[in-house]
Amino acid sequence: MPADAIPHSGCTVDLTGQVALVTGASRGIGRAIAERLAACGATVAAVARSVDGLAGTIEAIRSAGGTAEAFAGSVASSEDVSRIVSEVEAKFEKVHVLVNNAGITKDGLMLRMEDEAFRDVLETNLFGAFYFTRAVGAVMMRQRYGRIVNISSVAGLMGNPGQANYSASKAGLIGFTRTVARELATRNITVNAVAPGFIETDMTDVLPDKVKDVVKDHVPMKKFGQVDDIADLVCYLSGPGARYLTGQVIAVDGGMTA
Ligand SMILES: NC(=O)c1ccc[n+]([C@@H]2O[C@H](COP(=O)([O-])OP(=O)(O)OC[C@H]3O[C@@H](n4cnc5c(N)ncnc54)[C@H](OP(=O)(O)O)[C@@H]3O)[C@@H](O)[C@H]2O)c1
C-alpha cells in the first residue's frame, strides 16, 4: 500500500500479507467485505459470475491503495470452483481467509415452489459454500492456518414465509459451519457463520415498501442494517483477535432474533 493511502478508519485488524478470497464480491455485502479486508491489508481474490461485474470492486480497492484480482465463475459449479481456487493459488500461493458470501433468493410459497427454485437456491447458497470450503480447506490444511466465514441469515435461524428454499440453505450453512469447525479445529482453522438480519442491498431493495415496514417493525433497533455492519464483524473474525472463536453463529440483526 502506498505511504499516502489511508486505510479504512474503522480498521483495527491487521491482515497485512494475507490473502482473502471473497465470493459474491461484485456488490452488496460481499463488496463491502472485500473492500474492508483489502483496507486492512489483505490481498483480495474477488469472485463473482463475471469479471465485468467485479470491475467496480477491483477499481475501488486499487484506488484506495489495496491489491485485488477478479476471478469469474459460478459458486454453484464444482468445476468453476476448482478452477478458481487453482488460479488463486497459482497467483497468490496461499489463501488465509475464505468468505462464502455469494447468495441468491427465489422466493415463493412452499406449496407452489418449483423444483428449480428450490434447487437453484440450495446449489448457490449451500453447495457453493461446500465447494469453496472443500477446495480452500485443503490449502488451509497444508498451511496449518485459516479463517472461514460463511454468510448465513436470520432466515436460517427462524422461519420466514416465502423463503422455504432460502431458509433451508441458510440453516444448512449453519450445520455445515459447526461440523467443518470441528473437523478443521486442530489445524488452526476457524469456521464461523454470520447471520445478517435485514441489510440494505440490491437483494432487499426489490421488496415492496409494505414488506419493508413490517420487517422494520420486528427489528428492536427500528432500522435496517448497512453492509459495513456485516463487514466489520467479518473483518474481526478474519483477524488474529478471533483465534479462539470457532463453530459459532453470530447474528447481526438489530436485535431481531434476541
Ligand atoms: N441483504 C440482506 O438483507 C441479507 C440478509 C441475510 C443474509 N444475506 C446474505 O448475504 C449475502 C450477500 O447478500 P447481498 O444482499 O449482498 O446480495 P446481492 O446484493 O444480491 O449480491 C449477491 C452477490 O452474490 C453473487 N452471486 C450470486 N450468485 C452467484 C453465483 N452463482 N456465483 C458467484 N457469485 C454469485 C453476485 O454476483 P454476480 O451477480 O455478479 O455474479 C453478488 O456479488 C448472501 O449470501 C445473502 O443471502 C443478505
Side-chain angles (χ1 to χ4, degrees), residues 14 23 68 94 110 119 200:
D14 185 6
T23 71
K94 298 193 169 190
M110 189 278 295
R119 193 177 295 118
E200 287 183 347

Side-chain angles (χ1 to χ4, degrees), residues 90-108:
K91 179 109 193 151
F92 300 124
E93 289 176 20
K94 298 193 169 190
V95 186
H96 303 89
V97 178
L98 167 66
V99 184
N100 286 307
N101 162 81
I104 57 167
T105 52
K106 287 200 174 180
D107 296 354

